[in-house]
Amino acid sequence: MIMSKDSFLCSSSSSSTEGGLGFNPTKKGALPMLLLIHVLLLLRGAASDPLPINTPLTRAQMEDLFRAYAPYVYLHPDEEYLPSSVDWFFSNGALLYKQGEESQPVRIEPDGANLPKGGDPDGSYWIDLPADKDSRDRVSHGDIASAEAYVHFKPGVENGTFTDIQVWMFYPFNGHVTAKIVFIKRVSLGRAGEHVSDWEHVTLRVRNVDGVLDRVYFSQHSGGKWVDASQLQIESANRFAWYSSRNGHAGNNEEGMYLQGPGNGVGIRNDWAKSNKVVDTAARFVVVASEGEGEAVVEPPWLSYESKWGPTKQYDTAAEVKGVRMFLLGKLKEALDKCVKMIDEVYGTDGPTGPKAKNNWSGDEA
């Protein structure tokens, strides 16, 4: 679904189409011809004895397909909070806190080996930025040079006819939101929307029978949307643009400004635009998980940390917008109040969780 201006960001689904984005060996950067033939023979089988459409792909095939379709992540020109690698975040002073022992935070090892594993229903643990102000400010702005994509292969989805390739990006900090209120194009809402750590992803759904990219899911805050491959912006060969919204990092397949909120020209801005701040996911990626294989992927220790990647919200959203609210009249006040409620519903009060703790890690996209 392509959103129109002043629309809500919402979860949606699209049905499988006869089209899709396939290999084109004549384009620069496409899979080499021999590899293409190899993939087609493995996937299609001989004409006299074709492979069934639910034949799972091998690890090598999935990696080849990812390289063929790997997106470019475009940050907004005015983006302040850039992505980084998880190792960079930990190596630059990220701290682990435990409830009841807040005065004794622990420095996290670069690979997260000293993080607690498994679930944490009581919220006993959380990660935070370094304690001192200078380091805190520096780390919150990320390090795009270290940024890498974390890839999760999920073969055999939709009754075995597709393979999902989830591509996760990490941001040390999610910035504040801005709003549009009728004729006021951009108004800051203080710290509203801020939180430590942000995980965003896209999912590439590839047809097993022929290796064609069918559609892509773009995560957007607490939801997301499916986009047919024909609606992607192709950058080179078969690789597409993944736009990251300013401050909030919600994903999209195209540039523009869209509103999330009550409508009628009032809502939270989501701004997507191309810039020279870009991450080439094919050039720097790590396969962190692959399901259903005999040879298991060695998962990084931090992937099994399912507690919060940020502390509980430390501000009152209504108080943050108080200065703006006092200058509004009547229905505009009511519209802003609805935005405040939506911010708390979308961003929540607790810190975000990591990839493995999210429903779409083991289940389907919403």
Side-chain angles (χ1 to χ4, degrees):
M1 181 186 76
I2 301 300
M3 297 178 292
S4 60
K5 290 187 177 180
D6 293 358
S7 68
F8 291 83
L9 288 181
C10 60
S11 299
S12 65
S13 62
S14 65
S15 60
S16 175
T17 64
E18 294 182 359
L21 187 62
F23 297 123
N24 186 340
T26 65
K27 292 185 179 180
K28 183 179 179 181
L31 289 180
M33 179 62 74
L34 288 177
L35 179 57
L36 173 61
I37 295 172
H38 173 70
V39 170
L40 291 177
L41 286 174
L42 285 172
L43 296 179
R44 292 180 182 272
S48 60
D49 186 21
L51 290 173
I53 61 173
N54 61 352
T55 299
L57 304 185
T58 66
R59 166 81 174 277
Q61 288 171 335
M62 289 187 288
E63 287 199 24
D64 289 338
L65 288 168
F66 171 68
R67 290 187 180 93
Y69 298 128
Y72 294 94
V73 185
Y74 285 103
L75 287 302
H76 192 277
D78 299 322
E79 180 62 71
E80 297 180 41
Y81 303 105
L82 302 173
S84 78
S85 70
V86 172
D87 286 2
W88 180 91
F89 179 56
F90 291 162
S91 297
N92 280 269
L95 298 171
L96 175 68
Y97 285 80
K98 183 178 181 180
Q99 193 173 38
E101 301 177 9
E102 289 84 352
S103 63
Q104 303 174 52
V106 176
R107 183 82 178 254
I108 303 172
E109 295 178 10
D111 62 356
N114 62 332
L115 291 171
K117 305 298 188 290
D120 181 17
D122 298 327
S124 300
Y125 294 94
W126 65 91
I127 293 173
D128 204 348
L129 297 166
D132 67 283
K133 185 180 184 304
D134 289 344
S135 296
R136 190 176 184 88
D137 289 345
R138 179 178 60 83
V139 173
S140 69
H141 287 86
D143 180 64
I144 196 169
S146 73
E148 53 192 8
Y150 300 107
V151 179
H152 174 206
F153 292 127
K154 300 171 65 177
V157 299
E158 289 195 17
N159 297 318
T161 58
F162 293 91
T163 289
D164 276 1
I165 304 174
Q166 285 187 335
V167 188
W168 294 84
M169 295 294 298
F170 174 73
Y171 300 79
F173 197 77
N174 189 95
H176 65 276
V177 300
T178 56
K180 179 178 181 293
I181 305 175
V182 190
F183 54 86
I184 307 174
K185 292 184 177 181
R186 183 184 295 276
V187 57
S188 175
L189 300 182
R191 293 179 294 169
E194 289 186 352
H195 57 77
V196 174
S197 298
D198 189 21
W199 281 99
E200 301 290 347
H201 76 284
V202 296
T203 295
L204 287 62
R205 183 154 290 181
V206 181
R207 299 198 305 233
N208 285 349
V209 68
D210 54 13
V212 168
L213 179 63
D214 189 80
R215 54 197 187 272
V216 173
Y217 180 86
F218 292 84
S219 66
Q220 298 176 331
H221 307 307
S222 59
K225 67 172 185 176
W226 282 106
V227 173
D228 188 84
S230 64
Q231 297 174 338
L232 299 173
Q233 290 187 7
I234 304 305
E235 295 295 299
S236 65
N238 293 313
R239 300 177 59 194
F240 62 94
W242 169 9
Y243 293 100
S244 175
S245 68
R246 182 186 179 189
N247 289 354
H249 312 131
N252 202 27
N253 61 306
E254 59 184 352
E255 300 175 85
M257 188 279 289
Y258 302 95
L259 293 183
Q260 181 180 19
N264 297 319
V266 178
I268 302 304
R269 292 181 62 111
N270 290 267
D271 293 280
W272 293 285
K274 186 175 290 188
S275 75
N276 60 3
K277 301 171 185 175
V278 58
V279 178
D280 179 352
T281 61
R284 192 176 178 90
F285 72 93
V286 179
V287 178
V288 295
S290 185
E291 298 170 11
E293 290 190 271
E295 183 180 350
V297 172
V298 178
E299 298 183 358
W302 57 259
L303 189 62
S304 296
Y305 172 75
E306 298 183 28
S307 300
K308 296 184 295 183
W309 282 71
T312 299
K313 188 180 73 171
Q314 298 171 326
Y315 57 85
D316 181 352
T317 306
E320 292 295 317
V321 305
K322 186 176 180 180
V324 175
R325 192 177 187 278
M326 65 184 295
F327 291 105
L328 301 178
L329 300 175
K331 291 185 178 180
L332 291 182
K333 273 186 177 12
E334 296 176 6
L336 182 60
D337 291 342
K338 290 179 181 178
C339 284
V340 169
K341 182 180 179 182
M342 183 205 64
I343 291 169
D344 285 340
E345 289 175 347
V346 170
Y347 293 97
T349 59
D350 284 336
T353 55
K356 211 168 189 179
K358 299 184 185 301
N359 291 334
N360 48 23
W361 177 267
S362 55
D364 200 356
E365 303 292 356

